[in-house]
């Protein structure tokens, strides 16, 4: 489980596309929305068993917060009202616990969430700080695929005169979720070494001190003793 911020204009970062124009075409433009209004999406990839990866199912729920980011109430609502029923529906072996991996944000560690997890035989594993770029399946594979498709889709809609706002964001976003496939989810868990389990993901160099701040001291150039005057 992880949160992702989606800008209604598709995001200001490039999507990796290059455009080729004729040399005599002096005015070359690529339309892209400047709407940077943010909507937070909570995504969760569920594996129904160790033998197979389930087809993605989209469970829609809308919540608001004062900042636009996930707060304690939003996280509790997602966990108890959405994740627990959906996870139990895919729970194959009732003798084994449900495992939920997420980052260590304080909204994920509420007492009420821990109590609900204990009640429903769910073990929550909080990923260590500064490791989600390697250990979080959504960060490693899923979110990047969604972002590329979302940026492309927003540009296409803009070309057709469709403006994405908070009122049509959900239906437009759902039109891009086809990129979340069992193959993509399986690739995400494989590349993070969560399944199949592989403990060789990190190497000694990953734990080495920063050369810029810990091992090699760097200082600015000293101010010159003599400064030549201008003629």
């Amino acid at each position: 489980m992880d949160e992702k911020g989606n800008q209604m204009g598709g995001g200001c970062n490039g999507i990796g596309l290059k455009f080729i124009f004729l040399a005599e075409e002096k005015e070359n433009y690529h339309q892209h929305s400047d709407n940077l209004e943010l909507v937070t999406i909570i995504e969760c990839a569920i594996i129904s068993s160790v033998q197979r990866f389930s087809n993605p199912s989209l469970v829609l729920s809308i919540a608001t917060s004062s900042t636009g980011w996930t707060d304690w109430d939003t996280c509790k609502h997602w966990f108890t009202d959405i994740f627990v029923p959906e996870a139990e529906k895919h729970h194959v072996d009732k003798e084994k616990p449900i495992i939920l991996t997420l980052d260590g944000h304080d909204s994920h560690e509420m007492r009420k969430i821990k109590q609900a997890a204990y009640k429903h035989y769910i073990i929550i594993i909080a990923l260590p700080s500064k490791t989600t770029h390697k250990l979080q399946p959504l960060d490693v594979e899923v979110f990047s695929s969604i972002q590329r498709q979302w940026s492309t889709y927003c540009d296409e809609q803009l070309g057709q005169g469709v403006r994405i706002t908070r009122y049509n964001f959900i239906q437009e976003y759902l039109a891009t979720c086809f990129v979340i496939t069992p193959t993509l989810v399986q690739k995400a868990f494989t590349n993070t070494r969560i399944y199949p389990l592989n403990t060789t993901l990190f190497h000694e160099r990953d734990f080495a001190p920063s050369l810029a701040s810990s091992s090699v001291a760097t200082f600015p150039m000293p101010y010159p003793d003599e400064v030549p005057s201008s003629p």
Side-chain angles (χ1 to χ4, degrees):
M1 170 268 194
D2 200 7
E3 297 91 349
K4 182 184 185 303
N6 276 53
Q7 292 174 334
M8 294 187 189
C12 57
N13 294 328
I15 57 176
L17 296 179
K18 294 183 178 180
F19 301 91
I20 300 176
F21 301 92
L22 297 177
E24 57 269 19
E25 295 180 355
K26 300 300 182 182
E27 296 182 355
N28 304 319
Y29 298 97
H30 172 66
Q31 281 189 322
H32 189 76
S33 174
D34 61 352
N35 187 354
L36 303 182
E37 188 173 0
L38 199 67
V39 176
T40 301
I41 305 293
I42 299 179
E43 304 274 8
C44 184
I46 296 178
I47 304 177
S48 61
S49 71
V50 295
Q51 284 80 25
R52 61 188 178 87
F53 289 76
S54 60
N55 290 323
S57 58
L58 299 177
V59 181
L60 180 62
S61 180
I62 303 173
T64 61
S65 67
S66 59
T67 63
W69 294 102
T70 305
D71 56 18
W72 287 20
D73 291 336
T74 304
C75 190
K76 177 181 177 295
H77 164 65
W78 174 84
F79 184 82
T80 58
D81 299 337
I82 298 176
F83 173 75
V84 171
E86 192 69 16
E88 289 187 334
K89 184 172 66 176
H90 291 83
H91 197 186
V92 176
D93 189 347
K94 304 300 182 181
E95 299 298 322
K96 296 181 180 180
I98 298 171
I99 306 297
L100 174 63
T101 60
L102 37 70
D103 60 44
H105 191 271
D106 59 354
S107 65
H108 303 161
E109 300 182 358
M110 297 171 53
R111 179 183 296 272
K112 292 182 179 180
I113 289 181
K114 293 179 180 179
Q115 291 173 340
Y118 181 81
K119 177 181 178 181
H120 294 280
Y121 200 24
I122 299 173
I123 296 177
I124 299 178
I125 299 177
L127 301 175
S129 177
K130 312 299 183 183
T131 64
T132 55
H133 65 291
K134 283 194 172 186
L135 292 178
Q136 172 57 272
L138 293 170
D139 281 344
V140 171
E141 289 291 343
V142 179
F143 282 164
S144 58
S145 298
I146 295 176
Q147 181 59 46
R148 285 193 297 270
Q149 182 59 37
W150 174 246
S151 296
T152 301
Y153 182 80
C154 288
D155 290 347
E156 293 173 351
Q157 293 300 91
L158 182 64
Q160 298 175 11
V162 178
R163 183 170 176 264
I164 298 177
T165 68
R166 66 184 65 183
Y167 302 105
N168 65 350
F169 171 83
I170 293 176
Q171 68 184 50
E172 301 293 349
Y173 178 76
L174 291 178
T176 67
C177 289
F178 66 89
V179 299
I180 308 177
T181 63
T183 301
L184 180 64
V185 174
Q186 182 175 7
K187 183 180 179 182
F189 278 87
T190 300
N191 288 347
T192 53
R193 310 295 200 273
I194 294 178
Y195 182 80
L197 182 63
N198 187 333
T199 59
T200 63
L201 178 63
F202 289 94
H203 304 279
E204 289 188 5
R205 63 177 179 271
D206 295 316
F207 300 94
S210 172
L211 294 178
S213 60
S214 300
S215 297
V216 179
T218 57
F219 301 95
M221 294 293 293
Y223 194 79
D225 296 331
E226 296 182 2
V227 180
S229 60
S230 57

